[in-house]
């Protein structure tokens, strides 16, 4: 019986991904990469909400960006 894989056993443990995605399919794809051990850095816009209604954006964002590092930038200034 196999247990839960440790971080050093994951296939993408040496991969770093810059995540500029904003619609559901993109963040979900990088969530899968993070689950496989990749270091994912989510780079968000200070102005965009990701294409979701405002009341749902925070919940969806929290779910899709689990296990990622992140930074929010306002590139207009």
């Amino acid at each position: 019986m196999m247990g839960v894989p440790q971080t050093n056993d994951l296939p993408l443990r040496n991969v770093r991904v810059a995540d500029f995605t904003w619609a559901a399919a993109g963040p979900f794809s990088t969530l899968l990469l993070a689950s496989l051990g990749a270091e994912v850095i989510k780079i968000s816009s200070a102005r965009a909400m990701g294409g979701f209604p405002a009341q749902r954006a925070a919940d969806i964002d929290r779910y899709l960006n689990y296990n990622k590092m992140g930074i929010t930038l306002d590139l207009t200034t």
Side-chain angles (χ1 to χ4, degrees):
M1 184 165 130
M2 296 180 62
V4 176
Q6 299 300 315
T7 303
N8 11 344
D9 296 337
L10 296 172
L12 299 180
R13 69 183 173 275
N14 295 321
V15 175
R16 181 175 293 152
V17 177
D19 179 4
F20 292 92
T21 62
W22 58 273
F28 183 72
S29 298
T30 55
L31 174 67
L32 295 176
L33 294 175
S35 297
L36 291 171
E39 178 184 21
V40 179
I41 304 166
K42 174 70 178 167
I43 302 167
S44 303
S45 168
R47 295 174 178 247
M49 290 188 298
F52 299 106
Q55 68 271 19
R56 296 286 312 197
D59 293 334
I60 293 170
D61 187 63
R62 192 173 320 124
Y63 168 74
L64 291 176
N65 294 313
Y66 171 77
N67 205 23
K68 300 178 188 178
M69 293 186 283
I71 186 168
T72 302
L73 303 173
D74 184 353
L75 299 176
T76 61
T77 59

